[in-house]
Amino acid sequence: MGDTANETPGSQHEYAGTRVEQSTNELAELTSKDYQFGWVTDIEADTIPFGLTEDTIRLISDKKGEPEWMFEWRLKAYRHWLTLTEPSWANVTYPPIDYQALRYYSAPKSKPKLGSLDEVDPELLATFEKLGIPLEERKHLAGVAVDAVFDSISVATTHKDILAKKGIVFCSFSEAVREHPDLVRKYLGSVVPANDNFFAALNSAVFSDGSFCFIPKGVKCPMDLSTYFRINAAETGQFERTLIVAEEGASVNYLEGCTAPMRDENQLHAAVVELIALDNATINYSTVQNWYAGDVTGKGGIYNFVTKRGKCAGVNSKISWTQVETGSAITWKYPSCLLMGENSIGEFYSVAVSANYQQADTGTKMIHLAKNTKSTIISKTISSGHGNNSYRGEVKVMPKASNARNYTQCDSLLIGDQCGAHTFPYIEVHNTTSNVEHEASTSKISEDQLFYCKQRGIGTEDAISMIVNGYCKEVFEHLPMEFAVEASKLLSVSLEGSVG
Amino acid sequence: MLEIRNLHASVEGNEILKGINLTVKAGEVHAIMGPNGSGKSTLAQVLAGHDAYEITAGSVRFLDQDLLELPAEERARLGLFLAFQYPVEIPGISNAYFLQAALNEIRKSHNLPELDAMDFRELLNDKMELVAIDPRFAERPVNEGFSGGEKKRNEILQLAVLEPRLAILDETDSGLDIDALRIVSDGVNKLRSPERATILVTHYNRLLNYIVPDVIHVLVNGAIVRSGGKELALELEEKGYDFIREELVAP
């Protein structure tokens, strides 16, 4: 399951697949929601022709001035991709994607010289400012370094100098390939191999940019690092990679945000994120995903097919994923942890919203490979309108993982009577000293709760927002403050008008 | 303050209220008593604006407004408070947060400035002391994991914070042990004032030993069949509701 495309969804492991439908009168009606980030930046772009061949890969690699090893790596991934078929086990439906009808590279023409924000196209600075991500030095977000990715390339990375003094590398992926080839070669594909699954192979072949971050031994990153992904060009896929390495004793908080214009056609976003934590290292990775979700009739929106995986390679290492998924027409995503170091810890905290016609099939994999490893999974799904939300998670305890512990809690909240919530947990245990717990609940916002709030003077919309936020609290607690506020606002916007 | 005229209400085609007439003035405490299924809680829910009930006839005026025209939240903002028989849980939202949101909605509707977290906390602490509630209540999620008695006390805390003009207490005494009953009653008594009115909906008259009403009404089969002073409660205690039923069938 999960990120492995060649496997069928193993129904023999599935012990609970539930579909629950809610029916209430008042909560039924669904109106539109406003998407605040749906505008397009008018900027001249350097785009390549539609379609994908070996020549396309060569073209992308050349545009980025890559060394030959990088090109060879891409080519190998591409040739493998050709042998794969698109996975169909996820609980989502969409028309077939014509991979030859996509454009695999689009970059704003006035290409910035990296390192100097003064040379970034003012139109791009304005774009990110409008998104609430000011890149100019004087306006920097307090305490957060940002890598801004616009379509296929990184346009700016802030605070690089301060970070460099500590030996921290935080830059675009392209720059990393040029400036730190040894590090990239050592870790690229070490967690998500190029042949891992259909979308990971595609990404490995055509990825255009992304963020690279390296925290050396013993360094606690003095500020949060973040990447903001913006899709702008039409009919273009975004394929970016993020690679984060925390050496022995290092720690870092990483934040990721995403938006895209409103368009009637679907757009593909297939990213790969790899995290590596060595001995005693900690990586906290938070995502607030707000890609355009399509309109009220389900037209348009981003297909968010993403492979995210972290490797707790060292003893006492810890990787924590926190995600708030409010956007995208379809989300297919399972941030996972390979717990290879003794006493290592994997965590997954998720809120996934499916409103209107959104579909989400998301969850995690926790693979316990060493002694005393611990994992926690808290998944909260919210479905409204015709939204369809599936939690799919795998907990696997391998023979050497004595005393492994897992706690899983999957909650589903339903608003209205047209939406669906499903839970697909897979549990595989090969060590008798381990302890795996799974709890699941399905609830709906009840008429009683709404009436109670209204009787205290709180209007329907505010009451729903309050009840939903309360439901998500266990996840929001794990987000950095500003992100938690943002997530809470997004949730309110996503569910606006979800009751009649 | 509240004037109910010939109020008829039904749910799913069954008429529950069959012509209620009731006038409540500021400063008064009224008790509505009656056997199970007589329509006491329905009356409370109808006044609060629960939309499961259909009003088929009659009128209700509250503070010179047509109450039945207003949605539930506007009735609350106008000053009508219902202490629920079965208070509802809201997981993940603290009592303090919930009450601050509610109070500020009410204040906004009266063109008063909203209270910030600091000012609100001060007010909340005072009110918790007034109704003898453990300060830790503030941080607990609304009614989640509360015992029956704690939920009822929490309703009284909300009553104290929101300071409504009319408080309707729906079976607030049910499920309370004698200590909790005294605490809840003390809270209600402390909140009595010339500007405020209270309607106690209750099945038993033991509550009335603690909160002494000005008027007692007996509700039977959807209509008020007797009204009187507090001595009516004693008569009911002695003879049960049957004597009223017998009076009704007698020619």
Side-chain angles (χ1 to χ4, degrees):
Chain A
M1 71 126 263
D3 300 341
T4 314
N6 296 336
E7 265 177 44
T8 50
S11 55
Q12 69 273 17
H13 302 304
E14 183 185 323
Y15 73 76
T18 55
R19 178 176 166 85
V20 195
E21 285 190 319
Q22 183 198 15
S23 86
T24 52
N25 354 336
E26 190 190 339
L27 300 179
E29 221 170 277
L30 192 92
T31 58
S32 72
K33 70 176 200 186
D34 292 331
Y35 184 70
Q36 201 189 333
F37 307 101
W39 37 270
V40 182
T41 306
D42 186 12
I43 192 159
E44 207 182 340
D46 172 15
T47 49
I48 65 171
F50 292 102
L52 180 56
T53 62
E54 289 194 7
D55 292 342
T56 320
I57 311 243
R58 169 55 81 188
L59 190 59
I60 292 170
S61 194
D62 284 351
K63 278 196 178 291
K64 308 188 79 59
E66 281 175 353
E68 195 60 19
W69 64 264
M70 193 69 251
F71 170 68
E72 291 297 334
W73 197 83
R74 290 172 177 278
L75 201 58
K76 209 172 140 199
Y78 172 69
R79 287 176 179 158
H80 184 75
W81 178 73
L82 289 174
T83 70
L84 300 174
T85 41
E86 198 171 325
S88 59
W89 46 261
N91 188 21
V92 297
T93 52
Y94 54 93
I97 298 171
D98 181 355
Y99 291 91
Q100 297 305 330
L102 289 178
R103 229 191 274 277
Y104 289 82
Y105 187 87
S106 175
K109 228 169 200 163
S110 48
K111 200 176 172 183
K113 284 175 191 157
L114 288 161
S116 168
L117 285 165
D118 302 339
E119 293 172 54
V120 175
D121 189 312
E123 193 62 43
L124 287 172
L125 291 178
T127 296
F128 281 95
E129 177 130 14
K130 199 169 161 189
L131 293 167
I133 316 290
L135 301 173
E136 291 155 82
E137 298 285 346
R138 66 192 161 84
K139 289 182 186 165
H140 277 168
L141 297 176
V144 182
V146 181
D147 182 27
V149 176
F150 187 90
D151 289 332
S152 302
I153 63 156
S154 164
V155 292
T157 309
T158 65
H159 291 301
K160 282 166 77 173
D161 301 349
I162 303 171
L163 295 167
K165 282 182 193 140
K166 296 228 170 208
I168 295 167
V169 180
F170 179 47
C171 62
S172 73
F173 211 98
S174 312
E175 187 182 346
V177 170
R178 285 195 307 270
E179 310 288 328
H180 307 279
D182 294 347
L183 282 174
V184 174
R185 280 187 93 161
K186 183 171 175 188
Y187 291 109
L188 178 69
S190 69
V191 188
V192 180
N195 60 4
D196 188 82
N197 69 65
F198 183 84
F199 295 112
L202 177 63
N203 173 287
S204 301
V206 301
F207 77 90
S208 44
D209 217 334
S211 302
F212 174 75
C213 114
F214 174 80
I215 320 293
K217 205 169 170 174
V219 173
K220 307 239 172 290
C221 191
M223 61 180 76
D224 291 351
L225 305 185
S226 81
T227 303
Y228 195 93
F229 295 102
R230 174 72 177 171
I231 294 179
N232 190 62
E235 297 167 311
T236 303
Q238 190 179 53
F239 305 91
E240 83 283 351
R241 288 188 84 94
T242 302
L243 176 56
I244 301 175
V245 181
E247 281 199 327
E248 292 84 351
S251 70
V252 62
N253 293 327
Y254 192 87
L255 323 170
E256 180 196 279
C258 351
T259 56
M262 292 197 262
R263 289 213 171 84
D264 283 348
E265 68 274 7
N266 297 105
Q267 274 182 286
L268 179 63
H269 172 256
V272 170
V273 175
E274 297 180 277
L275 313 182
I276 296 120
L278 302 183
D279 291 356
N280 304 306
T282 298
I283 301 175
N284 294 316
Y285 193 104
S286 307
T287 304
V288 173
Q289 184 264 106
N290 185 26
W291 294 119
Y292 177 52
D295 70 8
V296 283
T297 65
K299 201 172 188 192
I302 302 290
Y303 291 161
N304 190 35
F305 299 155
V306 172
T307 305
K308 290 183 166 178
R309 198 175 301 154
K311 185 154 87 179
C312 286
V315 297
N316 305 319
S317 56
K318 179 178 166 188
I319 289 179
S320 182
W321 298 99
T322 305
Q323 60 172 22
V324 177
E325 306 282 317
T326 60
S328 297
I330 301 177
T331 296
W332 179 99
K333 170 179 172 188
Y334 314 89
S336 303
C337 295
L338 301 171
L339 303 170
M340 297 166 70
E342 285 183 18
N343 308 318
S344 62
I345 296 172
E347 295 174 337
F348 175 73
Y349 302 99
S350 170
V351 167
V353 180
S354 319
N356 297 328
Y357 283 86
Q358 280 177 282
Q359 308 174 61
D361 191 307
T362 182
T364 182
K365 291 202 282 189
M366 292 291 173
I367 314 296
H368 293 256
L369 295 148
K371 277 194 280 188
N372 303 322
T373 45
K374 251 169 63 180
S375 62
T376 304
I377 299 171
I378 308 281
S379 161
K380 304 266 184 181
T381 66
I382 300 161
S383 316
S384 76
H386 293 85
N388 210 351
N389 218 319
S390 302
Y391 166 80
R392 189 182 300 276
E394 180 175 38
V395 176
K396 202 176 205 170
V397 180
M398 300 308 280
K400 286 182 184 163
S402 298
N403 297 316
R405 295 274 178 274
N406 162 263
Y407 173 73
T408 300
Q409 182 190 328
C410 293
D411 297 328
S412 316
L413 184 70
L414 299 162
I415 304 174
D417 58 3
Q418 304 288 313
C419 55
H422 316 256
T423 307
F424 302 102
Y426 305 76
I427 297 171
E428 206 180 302
V429 178
H430 299 286
N431 185 307
T432 53
T433 61
S434 61
N435 184 342
V436 175
E437 288 176 65
H438 181 97
E439 286 182 26
S441 78
T442 302
S443 55
K444 52 186 185 176
I445 294 185
S446 68
E447 296 289 337
D448 287 350
Q449 280 177 320
L450 283 181
F451 180 59
Y452 191 70
C453 292
K454 285 196 270 190
Q455 212 302 305
R456 297 299 183 253
I458 300 165
T460 308
E461 297 260 305
D462 289 339
I464 288 175
S465 164
M466 183 184 276
I467 293 164
V468 170
N469 269 294
Y471 167 79
C472 299
K473 188 173 172 228
E474 279 169 281
V475 173
F476 288 175
E477 279 172 351
H478 292 275
L479 289 173
M481 179 74 148
E482 299 80 1
F483 247 41
V485 172
E486 179 72 23
S488 165
K489 271 194 227 150
L490 268 180
L491 210 58
S492 304
V493 173
S494 299
L495 295 172
E496 218 158 79
S498 62
V499 287
Chain B
M1 174 183 280
L2 179 74
E3 197 154 325
I4 305 176
R5 287 284 164 263
N6 189 34
L7 181 65
H8 288 253
S10 54
V11 61
E12 288 166 0
N14 297 320
E15 187 164 65
I16 314 274
L17 301 184
K18 301 170 181 172
I20 301 270
N21 290 293
L22 178 66
T23 302
V24 178
K25 297 200 178 79
E28 292 180 344
V29 174
H30 288 236
I32 295 178
M33 304 186 68
N36 285 332
S38 58
K40 300 186 302 288
S41 285
T42 297
L43 177 60
Q45 301 265 320
V46 164
L47 292 176
H50 199 297
D51 56 12
Y53 300 92
E54 197 194 339
I55 311 297
T56 49
S59 68
V60 180
R61 292 199 70 80
F62 174 59
L63 296 171
D64 296 325
Q65 295 214 37
D66 182 352
L67 190 72
L68 302 177
E69 285 294 304
L70 302 173
E73 61 268 32
E74 283 177 31
R75 298 182 194 194
R77 291 169 194 162
L78 195 59
L80 188 146
F81 179 92
L82 173 64
F84 283 64
Q85 183 175 6
Y86 304 108
V88 180
E89 299 183 1
I90 308 177
I93 295 296
S94 73
N95 253 326
Y97 182 86
F98 178 72
L99 269 174
Q100 187 185 347
L103 181 64
N104 279 334
E105 286 296 340
I106 292 167
R107 290 179 65 92
K108 262 196 293 191
S109 75
H110 292 275
N111 296 317
L112 293 168
E114 296 183 42
L115 293 186
D116 64 20
M118 297 263 278
D119 290 343
F120 175 76
R121 187 41 75 97
E122 211 168 299
L123 176 115
L124 183 62
N125 288 341
D126 290 349
K127 299 295 184 181
M128 284 197 289
E129 213 180 306
L130 182 74
V131 295
I133 274 179
D134 187 327
R136 279 175 297 190
F137 259 63
E139 293 314 320
R140 289 175 62 181
V142 180
N143 293 323
E144 199 191 24
F146 284 27
S147 70
E150 285 177 326
K151 284 183 182 174
K152 296 295 174 73
R153 281 162 70 177
N154 199 28
E155 294 291 289
I156 302 307
L157 172 64
Q158 297 189 16
L159 170 64
V161 170
L162 302 180
E163 299 189 317
R165 299 293 304 279
L166 173 66
I168 303 169
L169 277 57
D170 188 8
E171 306 269 5
T172 298
D173 51 335
S174 67
L176 290 186
D177 63 32
I178 202 76
D179 291 330
L181 183 63
R182 207 184 49 240
I183 291 169
V184 164
S185 308
D186 281 353
V188 174
N189 283 328
K190 283 178 190 159
L191 296 167
R192 282 175 91 153
S193 87
E195 295 82 49
R196 267 184 232 156
T198 305
I199 297 175
L200 305 169
V201 172
T202 181
H203 186 66
Y204 305 104
N205 67 356
R206 64 170 191 165
L207 177 67
L208 308 184
N209 296 329
Y210 296 92
I211 307 171
V212 181
D214 300 300
V215 192
I216 295 178
H217 308 276
V218 180
L219 190 66
V220 175
N221 195 21
I224 289 173
V225 294
R226 280 277 293 270
S227 297
K230 54 182 180 267
E231 64 288 347
L232 184 56
L234 297 173
E235 201 179 341
L236 285 170
E237 168 110 308
E238 214 174 290
K239 303 182 185 171
Y241 289 113
D242 286 343
F243 91 96
I244 289 179
R245 287 202 185 99
E246 282 156 19
E247 277 181 13
L248 288 176
V249 290

